[in-house]
Amino acid sequence: MNRDKIIIKNVHTNNLKNIDIEIPKHKLVVFTGVSGSGKSSLLFDTIYTEAQRQLIETFSTFARTRMPKLSRPDVDDILNLSTAIVINQNRMGNNLRNTVGTATEVNTYLRLLYSRVGKPFIGPSFYFSFNHPEGMCPHCKGLGKQIKIDLDLFLDREKSIRQGAISHPHYRVGGFLWKELISLDVVDYDKPLKEFSEDELNLLLFSEPFQIKNSKDKLTFYRNFEGIARKLEKAVASRADDETGEEEKNAYTKYFNYQPCEHCGGTRLNERARKVKLNGLTIADVCHMELVDVLPFLLEIDDEISKPILRKAQFLLQQLIEIGVGYLSLERAVGTLSGGESQRVKMSKQMDCNLVDMLYVLDEPSIGLHPRDTENLMNILFRLKEKGNSVFVVEHDPDIIRAAEWLIDIGPKAGKYGGHVVYNGEPEGLYHVESITGDYLRRNDKPVYQRKQGTSFFEIKNASSNNLKKVSCKIPKGVLTCVTGVAGSGKSSLIHECFAKQHQDAIVIDQSPIGKSSRANAATYIGVFDLIRKEFATATNADASLFSFNSKGACPKCNGQGVLTFELHFLDSVKTTCDECEGKRYHSEVLELKLKGKNIAEVLDMTVTQAYEFFDSVKIKKHLFLLQEVGLGYLKLGQSLSTLSGGETQRLKIATELKKEGNIYIMDEPTTGLHMSDIDNFYKIVKTLVKNDNTVIIIEHNLDIIKYADWIIDMGPDGGKKGGELIFQGLPEDIVNCEQSITGKYLKNVI
């Protein structure tokens, strides 16, 4: 048997049409196709999932209970699989204690280095860890931040506590904590807070824990009381954001300000650790530096004992710089990284892995990268392959597609019109087959640009957020402005931190993830499901809640899930289609109620385009038209959000925001996850917005969007401290002549 190929037989995951395919190993293989065609279904939901599932099955039953539960994908057989490692765009959590330094383990080597050769000697490496009691600042507990409650938001001084003077939802009138507070004789709960003395207010908010004698009927007991603001501040400081539910997280963070710790200056370390120096710098100084500056610092250290430590740290730093994140600092919290930055940080760690014959699976690694940095990315991918591994990549970037050693094009279109293997072979062959991807790779025509000229301007003056160096620029009103520059140059700081804060009414479409609950679907997300349920209610004289599978209408056996889950204790749980509702999610009586001959389950099984023709309601049509406009007409109304690709998710979010009325739109890399053909469709949407005199500002790296801009603001010249300057503002035709602009050099080839 040929072991150099992964052989897949009859895969029918999601929209894949019972395909058989052979994929060569030990090559850079790129999976491409329009958004929603089935690329991710084949690579992630089938190949990677099965590789992980089979690996987990080799572990003991005890170990498997503590690992992710993976169901077998919809495929007959997969032969010659290797152990798979996925490097995706999932954020690396939002724990304040997790930094770039800890995530990459560079901090580990730095701590070892300072404990060995730093002066004066204070002890072992954990004395330099802000996550260890011996190293952390005792005042901020190693967070580097002081968490202070915003009393103006927290309190309504016109009211008494009994009337609801404490705005925090945990202390709402009638709630548990409110009742507990009222039961303790601490202050006058019927007096408005504005009449409280300073001592009374401090007692209520910031008092140290103390015992209160309390009487109830004939019983006397003691209760501990702690200032409510002090208590909440401690609760926020003690928990990681990624371990907290969204609702609870918002309830806390809304009322608090984060300020640098006044004792450690935000370094997170205690005074003892901050006094140890190496070549004149403390470990806090090094963590504050950009990665491109940390490397020269380590190269200057000449110590025989530390050579193994230095070699590992230098190697990791070199990978991070090469992959395009050299502008980051080691102290940067991972929760502040974009999806693309998180993916590249995770990728750099794999370069130090000595395992071979692995299968690396990457999801659009070029996201967030300037064309300059894409070249470095390709070098990294080939180095992973040259170590004896297989590298499988989902990608839309034409440069990476052209550089692939093997190409798999899925299509021909999206949704139910996709799921076929359009092409499977060497890249040159794609130019000779009928394929949307091939059509775009073949075309070399340069369109005629009709640029709109702005007559008035928004102005940004002396912007200095993050790395910005007192930038002043102007943004024309009623036109398309693209903000460009390499990663870390200051684009997001200029628009999000400065412009957006000046214009609170602007509609911001960013890269924040949408919820992917199994109960959420395209109809619920865009808000059309409520309208559909009302239509059914009016037509059948029934309660609208009956037509929700999350409410009264849910199948009693599966509770509206459509599937039954059987827990097998020490074995993986098994999911089967509900035999009572047959996966339709609804009670049988609800399915008898019909609108124009269709029940609610049949309507949810319609595509957006079919539903648009089915309904007469103007409001419903308006919502569905927006989905069609962003190229999602093939989606089924009831399709779970968890089955959507990255590109589909992005367009769904855009459709939701476009239904709002505003005159300023800010979009942060909206082409993420979009195929070349989808970018053209997206531009048509933007063009419509501009035609209606809306101001559209797009932060973008994609040259196919930049070339259509009416105005360009180019930041740079590089990232981090070498960026933060205005390099150019003006027309795309003029930026190609700007010698300082890196963007201009690449734009010259497409304009």
Side-chain angles (χ1 to χ4, degrees):
M1 181 184 290
N2 186 356
R3 303 285 185 186
D4 294 329
K5 293 182 178 180
I6 296 174
I7 302 170
I8 305 173
K9 297 179 180 179
N10 192 28
V11 55
H12 45 281
T13 307
N14 299 330
N15 68 331
L16 297 178
K17 306 296 194 301
N18 302 88
I19 61 178
D20 297 328
I21 188 171
E22 295 184 3
I23 307 171
K25 299 170 72 174
H26 310 118
K27 289 183 181 291
L28 172 60
V29 181
V30 171
F31 294 69
T32 188
V34 299
S35 303
S37 60
K39 305 182 299 297
S40 296
S41 295
L42 177 59
L43 182 51
F44 291 97
D45 298 340
T46 305
I47 298 174
Y48 171 70
T49 300
E50 181 62 8
Q52 285 294 96
R53 189 188 69 84
Q54 291 195 19
L55 178 63
I56 290 172
E57 283 190 350
T58 66
F59 301 141
S60 68
T61 304
F62 176 80
R64 295 206 309 270
T65 62
R66 286 154 176 80
M67 302 184 77
K69 304 290 191 294
L70 298 175
S71 302
R72 180 181 173 86
D74 295 328
V75 60
D76 286 0
D77 203 3
I78 304 181
L79 305 177
N80 305 329
L81 268 179
S82 301
T83 303
I85 295 174
V86 67
I87 307 175
N88 54 27
Q89 298 172 43
N90 294 344
R91 306 292 176 96
M92 301 169 69
N94 203 24
N95 190 332
L96 291 175
R97 296 191 178 278
N98 196 8
T99 65
V100 171
T102 59
T104 58
E105 298 183 353
V106 175
N107 265 30
T108 303
Y109 298 114
L110 277 181
R111 291 191 287 107
L112 281 168
L113 185 64
Y114 270 82
S115 68
R116 299 293 192 276
V117 295
K119 303 294 182 185
F121 174 79
I122 62 170
S125 64
F126 59 76
Y127 276 49
F128 298 91
S129 171
F130 51 77
N131 291 322
H132 194 281
E134 291 291 349
M136 67 175 56
C137 169
H139 302 281
C140 65
K141 306 299 181 186
L143 292 177
K145 299 178 182 293
Q146 288 182 315
I147 302 166
K148 299 292 184 184
I149 202 158
D150 188 335
L151 294 181
D152 292 331
L153 288 176
F154 188 66
L155 302 175
D156 184 349
R157 299 176 188 269
E158 298 296 321
K159 296 180 179 177
S160 69
I161 293 173
R162 202 178 296 275
Q163 293 172 328
I166 305 171
S167 316
H168 195 283
H170 288 189
Y171 283 90
R172 65 182 182 276
V173 175
F176 174 78
L177 290 181
W178 178 85
K179 290 179 179 177
E180 184 182 57
L181 179 61
I182 295 293
S183 70
L184 302 175
D185 188 16
V186 180
V187 293
D188 187 349
Y189 301 114
D190 295 305
K191 184 166 69 174
L193 293 189
K194 63 181 181 181
E195 298 178 10
F196 273 41
S197 67
E198 187 175 342
D199 289 341
E200 287 177 317
L201 202 59
N202 281 333
L203 175 65
L204 175 68
L205 298 175
F206 303 110
S207 63
E208 298 275 350
F210 65 93
Q211 280 192 334
I212 296 177
K213 184 177 180 182
N214 213 17
S215 298
K216 188 175 181 180
D217 298 328
K218 297 181 179 180
L219 297 174
T220 300
F221 58 96
Y222 290 88
R223 295 279 302 273
N224 282 332
F225 175 80
E226 183 178 9
I228 56 177
R230 174 188 169 91
K231 188 176 180 179
L232 288 172
E233 287 173 356
K234 285 168 63 178
V236 173
S238 65
R239 66 183 68 199
D241 281 0
D242 56 344
E243 297 173 352
T244 309
E246 227 26 67
E247 186 177 345
E248 187 180 1
K249 187 192 318 180
N250 294 336
Y252 277 105
T253 57
K254 177 183 176 182
Y255 299 92
F256 293 87
N257 295 318
Y258 292 82
Q259 301 167 349
C261 175
E262 58 187 22
H263 297 278
C264 68
T267 64
R268 303 167 177 253
L269 297 169
N270 59 32
E271 188 177 1
R272 178 177 59 187
R274 297 198 306 270
K275 286 183 177 180
V276 180
K277 292 188 177 183
L278 181 58
N279 286 1
L281 296 177
T282 67
I283 191 170
D285 294 332
V286 177
C287 289
H288 185 66
M289 295 159 61
E290 292 181 5
L291 301 180
V292 291
D293 296 322
V294 177
L295 183 58
F297 165 76
L298 294 180
L299 291 171
E300 290 175 359
I301 299 172
D302 185 17
D303 184 84
E304 194 66 30
I305 299 174
S306 306
K307 278 188 177 179
I309 302 170
L310 288 165
R311 187 167 57 249
K312 294 288 286 187
Q314 290 163 6
F315 178 82
L316 286 170
L317 287 167
Q318 284 170 342
Q319 304 313 309
L320 288 163
I321 294 167
E322 188 174 343
I323 212 164
V325 290
Y327 57 88
L328 299 177
S329 64
L330 293 171
E331 66 180 9
R332 176 84 172 264
V334 295
T336 65
L337 302 180
S338 68
E341 287 171 333
S342 296
Q343 187 176 28
R344 292 193 285 280
V345 168
K346 287 185 276 189
M347 194 186 306
S348 68
K349 291 181 66 177
Q350 297 303 322
M351 299 307 300
D352 195 33
C353 179
N354 292 321
L355 297 172
V356 297
D357 202 23
M358 305 291 287
L359 172 58
Y360 285 95
V361 179
L362 293 92
D363 185 12
E364 295 189 62
S366 66
I367 284 177
L369 281 184
H370 192 274
R372 181 198 67 175
D373 298 317
T374 302
E375 296 175 9
N376 294 330
L377 170 66
M378 286 189 286
N379 292 333
I380 295 285
L381 295 177
F382 277 107
R383 282 167 57 188
L384 282 172
K385 191 262 306 186
E386 287 162 5
K387 284 187 168 186
N389 303 302
S390 306
V391 181
F392 290 3
V393 181
V394 169
E395 195 50 85
H396 294 294
D397 188 284
D399 293 330
I400 295 180
I401 293 173
R402 291 187 182 100
E405 295 176 299
W406 196 266
L407 202 59
I408 297 173
D409 191 32
I410 307 294
K413 296 182 179 181
K416 70 176 185 178
Y417 306 108
H420 297 280
V421 178
V422 177
Y423 179 76
N424 180 31
E426 296 182 350
E428 294 78 16
L430 185 62
Y431 289 82
H432 307 294
V433 300
E434 193 65 32
S435 158
I436 295 176
T437 304
D439 290 343
Y440 275 82
L441 290 175
R442 285 192 294 267
R443 79 177 184 180
N444 53 14
D445 58 310
K446 295 184 178 181
V448 178
Y449 306 105
Q450 296 179 339
R451 309 208 190 275
K452 186 178 179 182
Q453 188 174 356
T455 55
S456 58
F457 296 85
F458 297 107
E459 290 192 17
I460 301 175
K461 295 182 179 180
N462 297 322
S464 55
S465 181
N466 298 326
N467 68 332
L468 297 178
K469 299 180 176 69
K470 295 185 176 180
V471 173
S472 296
C473 63
K474 55 185 183 179
I475 299 173
K477 297 179 181 179
V479 306
L480 168 61
T481 296
C482 275
V483 185
T484 64
V486 299
S489 60
K491 305 182 298 297
S492 296
S493 296
L494 181 69
I495 300 304
H496 290 297
E497 297 293 326
C498 301
F499 182 81
K501 287 184 177 180
Q502 295 174 14
H503 302 275
Q504 299 284 339
D505 56 337
I507 296 170
V508 180
I509 305 173
D510 58 19
Q511 298 184 51
S512 57
I514 65 174
K516 287 197 172 186
S517 164
S518 61
R519 290 186 175 276
N521 55 42
T524 58
Y525 186 79
I526 201 169
V528 75
F529 194 37
D530 289 338
L531 299 175
I532 291 173
R533 290 192 294 109
K534 287 177 182 177
E535 283 282 305
F536 267 91
T538 303
T540 60
N541 293 318
D543 188 348
S545 61
L546 279 174
F547 302 99
S548 171
F549 51 75
N550 296 321
S551 188
K552 294 179 181 179
C555 168
K557 190 168 184 177
C558 65
N559 196 29
Q561 291 279 11
V563 294
L564 300 173
T565 303
F566 298 95
E567 299 291 341
L568 301 180
H569 301 288
F570 289 101
L571 299 176
D572 295 345
S573 57
V574 176
K575 290 185 177 181
T576 61
T577 303
C578 176
D579 57 347
E580 184 160 324
C581 68
E582 298 179 340
K584 295 177 181 177
R585 297 185 164 204
Y586 287 95
H587 195 284
S588 58
E589 294 178 1
V590 177
L591 296 177
E592 292 176 2
L593 303 173
K594 295 185 177 182
L595 170 69
K596 297 171 66 174
K598 300 286 185 181
N599 61 40
I600 186 68
E602 290 172 326
V603 168
L604 289 178
D605 198 47
M606 291 180 179
T607 65
V608 170
T609 301
Q610 289 170 336
Y612 184 83
E613 298 296 327
F614 177 79
F615 287 102
D616 300 321
S617 167
V618 175
K619 288 184 178 179
I620 293 176
K621 281 181 174 290
K622 186 178 179 182
H623 283 76
L624 297 176
F625 178 75
L626 289 171
L627 289 175
Q628 289 179 308
E629 280 288 282
V630 295
L632 295 178
Y634 61 87
L635 282 187
K636 290 184 177 181
L637 290 180
Q639 187 169 338
S640 173
L641 296 187
S642 61
T643 66
L644 300 187
S645 68
E648 289 169 331
T649 299
Q650 182 86 340
R651 283 181 288 164
L652 185 61
K653 181 186 287 190
I654 291 170
T656 307
E657 297 295 340
L658 289 181
K659 71 181 181 181
K660 300 177 182 177
E661 294 183 359
N663 54 20
I664 302 175
Y665 289 85
I666 298 172
M667 304 183 186
D668 193 348
E669 297 188 46
T671 61
T672 298
L674 294 186
H675 187 265
M676 292 166 277
S677 63
D678 297 318
I679 289 174
D680 283 355
N681 295 329
F682 169 72
Y683 174 65
K684 292 175 183 176
I685 298 168
V686 172
K687 192 175 179 181
T688 303
L689 289 172
V690 171
K691 189 178 179 181
N692 295 330
D693 291 326
N694 292 293
T695 300
V696 181
I697 303 167
I698 298 180
I699 302 169
E700 192 54 84
H701 293 293
N702 193 300
L703 298 176
D704 287 329
I705 285 292
I706 297 171
K707 69 184 182 183
Y708 288 121
D710 302 309
W711 191 262
I712 287 180
I713 295 174
D714 192 46
M715 302 296 296
D718 218 301
K721 71 175 184 180
K722 294 180 180 178
E725 300 176 22
L726 178 67
I727 301 300
F728 175 85
Q729 60 176 339
L731 299 174
E733 288 84 359
D734 296 330
I735 194 175
V736 299
N737 300 317
C738 178
E739 293 184 1
Q740 275 190 294
S741 174
I742 298 173
T743 304
K745 293 175 184 175
Y746 287 90
L747 193 62
K748 188 181 293 185
N749 300 323
V750 298
I751 199 168

